[in-house]
């Protein structure tokens, strides 16, 4: 009993020291720290914007203040209907970032499950890889356009579409990582001891392959977000009056000469959010790599 307790303490202490080392390496990267701060601001807005500004302000009209440039009363100005752009940009963060995070997490879970099956069962791997080869022959943007044309543009349909498009890529990348883990001796020992496939994946395979998966998922969020904004921009994604950043850019095109700020602020929000996520992903990749020197 004492030996088991001492072993558990050693494991916990080693994990704590490893986590502390990762944090130290991350904090030595100024760009990653700036990205984390920006991302925390965006996440704070997504979670608590309703406490700062009433949701009714998203569609509130002020006919006397149409196309008003940025001022003390309207920080980002107003659109052609007199709606406050600052409020719409803040609430748009929930939609655009929410789609990126939701689609990434969903496709990550599905891709990890498929990759785990491929790593454990060779016959299933052969069949699944051939199916993925066929799916990946279809351009992702074309597949997304077809799916949205069939299902219609909405937040949920956008998330489902991006998940379907992204699962093959996740499965391939996670499979490449997991295949390097299943050949380790401790995996063979766990299999011989009678560990079920589910426990083998959850307790041994994925925890030892989690570092590159986390980095990949983090970097994917920005591409998902940009895809959502791009599809809305060309008119097949989330439709107005929802304050999605890409839809706001699409709506602002016809007023670009008279009110360029209508496109400037949602465009800046997209760029800064994508930049912050990429900086965080780069920082995590360097921090999780013990060979990296800062």
């Amino acid at each position: 009993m004492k030996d088991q307790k001492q072993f558990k303490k050693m494991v916990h202490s080693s994990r704590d020291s490893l986590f502390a080392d990762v944090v130290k390496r991350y904090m030595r990267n100024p760009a990653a720290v700036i990205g984390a701060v920006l991302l925390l601001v965006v996440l704070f807005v997504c979670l608590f914007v309703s406490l700062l500004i009433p949701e009714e302000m998203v569609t509130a009209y002020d006919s006397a203040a149409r196309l008003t440039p940025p001022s003390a009363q309207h920080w980002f100005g107003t659109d052609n209907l007199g709606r406050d752009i600052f409020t719409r940009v803040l609430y748009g963060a929930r939609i655009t970032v929410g789609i990126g995070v939701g689609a990434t997490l969903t496709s990550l879970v599905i891709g990890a499950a498929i990759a785990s099956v491929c790593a454990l069962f060779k016959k299933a791997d052969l069949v699944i890889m051939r199916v993925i080869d066929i799916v990946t022959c279809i351009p992702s943007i074309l597949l997304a356009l077809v799916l949205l044309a069939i299902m219609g543009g909405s937040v949920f349909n956008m998330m489902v579409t991006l998940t379907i498009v992204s699962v093959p890529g996740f499965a391939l990348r996670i499979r490449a990582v997991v295949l390097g883990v299943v050949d380790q001796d401790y995996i063979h020992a766990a299999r011989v001891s009678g560990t079920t496939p589910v426990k083998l994946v959850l307790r041994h395979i994925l925890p030892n392959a989690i570092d590159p998966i986390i980095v990949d998922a983090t970097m994917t969020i920005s591409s998902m977000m940009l895809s959502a904004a791009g599809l809305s921009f060309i008119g097949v994604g989330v439709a107005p009056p929802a304050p999605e950043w890409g839809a706001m850019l699409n709506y602002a095109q016809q007023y670009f000469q008279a009110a360029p700020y209508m496109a400037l602020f949602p465009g800046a929000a997209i760029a800064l959010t994508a930049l912050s996520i990429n900086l965080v992903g780069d920082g995590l990749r360097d921090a999780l790599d013990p060979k990296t020197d800062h």
Side-chain angles (χ1 to χ4, degrees), residues 14-88:
S14 62
R15 288 178 179 175
D16 293 340
S17 62
L18 178 62
F19 178 75
D21 290 340
V22 171
V23 173
K24 287 180 181 178
R25 286 196 292 269
Y26 187 91
M27 296 301 292
R28 293 189 191 126
N29 189 337
V33 174
I34 293 173
V37 172
L38 290 174
L39 185 58
L40 287 174
V41 172
V42 173
L43 294 178
F44 177 83
V45 169
C46 292
L47 295 174
F48 302 109
V49 63
S50 58
L51 300 178
L52 304 175
I53 303 174
E55 191 171 359
E56 294 78 15
M57 293 296 295
V58 176
T59 55
Y61 298 94
D62 185 1
S63 57
R66 294 178 180 176
L67 296 178
T68 301
S71 62
Q73 184 178 1
H74 301 284
W75 291 359
F76 290 178
T78 61
D79 60 15
N80 64 307
L81 298 176
R83 296 175 297 188
D84 185 68
I85 296 176
F86 177 73
T87 302
R88 292 178 62 78

Side-chain angles (χ1 to χ4, degrees), residues 166-188:
S166 303
V167 163
F170 262 115
L172 287 174
R173 294 192 296 271
I174 297 175
R175 174 182 175 272
V177 177
V178 169
L179 285 176
V181 176
V182 294
D183 291 333
Q184 300 296 322
D185 292 337
Y186 62 89
I187 299 296
H188 294 301

